[in-house]
Amino acid sequence: MKIIAVASNYSDHIAEMSTGTILCQTKPESPIFFLKGDAVHRLGYPFFYPDLSSQIEYETEIVVRIDRIGKYIDERFAHRYYSELTVGLDLTARDLQRQAKAAGKPWTAAKAFESSAVVGQFFPKEQFGDLTNLDFRLEIDGHCVQKGNTHDMLFSIDQLIAAASRIFPLRMGDLLYCGTPAGVGPIAIGQTLVGYVGNNKAFEMSVK
């Protein structure tokens, strides 16, 4: 199982991050993928703030789980390769990412550290109707801190699957993180994070 994530898939997030020059500052011509290793956080368990960073930030994203083997998938057939989705967090060590980018180095350590891929409970995609108009959000201690809708994605879920399959052979169980909208921010010890896709609560996680 691999975790494939995409950067710069919402225009508002590109603008939000442009002052830090972390990622590209304009719409990319094609999806920008990176891998998060085997960093899946175990659902139902707390997240323990790692010593490696003093600035862990949440990035709330739609996550789909691949359930068929495929490569070089045509976009029109991409919908056949997943039947469930959820919301998750691409936790990012922002201080490490900034340092790596400034030095022109890879930022794997900022993205693939232990438990940095929070994944909620999966739901059948059929229950959401139009997947190009799907709300999701993150609440911290009862307050909404980030929200998005898939209609704002620069590359749709099916476009991402098709593009990713031209780089990585997709296998059953692979996870695809579909990018984050504006509103990313820090987490802190003592907080409780709750993620929703549509009106469905997908995960609740404490930070320790």
Side-chain angles (χ1 to χ4, degrees):
M1 187 269 287
K2 57 185 172 291
I3 308 168
I4 304 168
V6 62
S8 301
N9 201 28
Y10 287 80
S11 295
D12 58 0
H13 180 59
I14 293 174
E16 173 182 58
M17 303 305 288
S18 63
T19 55
T21 63
I22 288 181
L23 301 171
C24 68
Q25 298 182 28
T26 58
K27 176 182 175 179
E29 295 181 359
S30 58
I32 302 170
F33 294 109
F34 60 93
L35 298 176
K36 286 183 69 72
D38 58 354
V40 172
H41 176 76
R42 193 171 179 183
L43 188 63
Y45 284 74
F47 173 78
F48 293 94
Y49 208 109
D51 293 336
L52 60 85
S53 172
S54 60
Q55 190 182 1
I56 302 294
E57 294 192 351
Y58 57 81
E59 297 187 6
T60 313
E61 314 195 7
I62 292 295
V63 182
V64 299
R65 181 164 56 194
I66 302 299
D67 56 15
R68 293 179 61 182
I69 296 173
K71 58 182 179 179
Y72 297 100
I73 300 166
D74 191 289
E75 181 186 334
R76 58 183 169 159
F77 301 126
H79 66 279
R80 300 178 181 178
Y81 287 80
Y82 68 102
S83 57
E84 298 177 312
L85 58 76
T86 188
V87 69
L89 300 178
D90 169 20
L91 295 178
T92 302
R94 194 70 71 198
D95 48 355
L96 298 187
Q97 189 183 39
R98 290 186 187 279
Q99 293 166 14
K101 289 292 292 183
K105 297 179 179 180
W107 29 276
T108 301
K111 287 287 190 177
F113 57 91
E114 184 179 6
S115 293
S116 63
V118 179
V119 188
Q121 173 188 345
F122 281 91
F123 302 95
K125 66 181 183 182
E126 287 79 12
Q127 78 178 63
F128 298 110
D130 184 4
L131 298 186
T132 65
N133 186 25
L134 178 60
D135 291 318
F136 59 97
R137 71 184 189 275
L138 175 69
E139 295 182 359
I140 296 183
D141 295 337
H143 302 283
C144 182
V145 295
Q146 189 179 21
K147 60 183 178 180
N149 187 291
T150 54
H151 69 67
D152 295 321
M153 293 167 64
L154 300 178
F155 302 100
S156 69
I157 294 173
D158 289 352
Q159 289 173 325
L160 292 175
I161 289 174
S165 73
R166 284 159 174 75
I167 305 170
F168 318 99
L170 300 183
R171 305 187 187 283
M172 295 178 63
D174 286 351
L175 302 178
L176 176 62
Y177 279 66
C178 297
T180 193
V184 303
I187 64 173
I189 293 172
Q191 292 179 331
T192 298
L193 285 61
V194 183
Y196 293 86
V197 55
N199 293 317
N200 299 278
K201 179 178 175 181
F203 70 83
E204 180 172 339
M205 182 186 77
S206 61
V207 183
K208 297 188 175 182

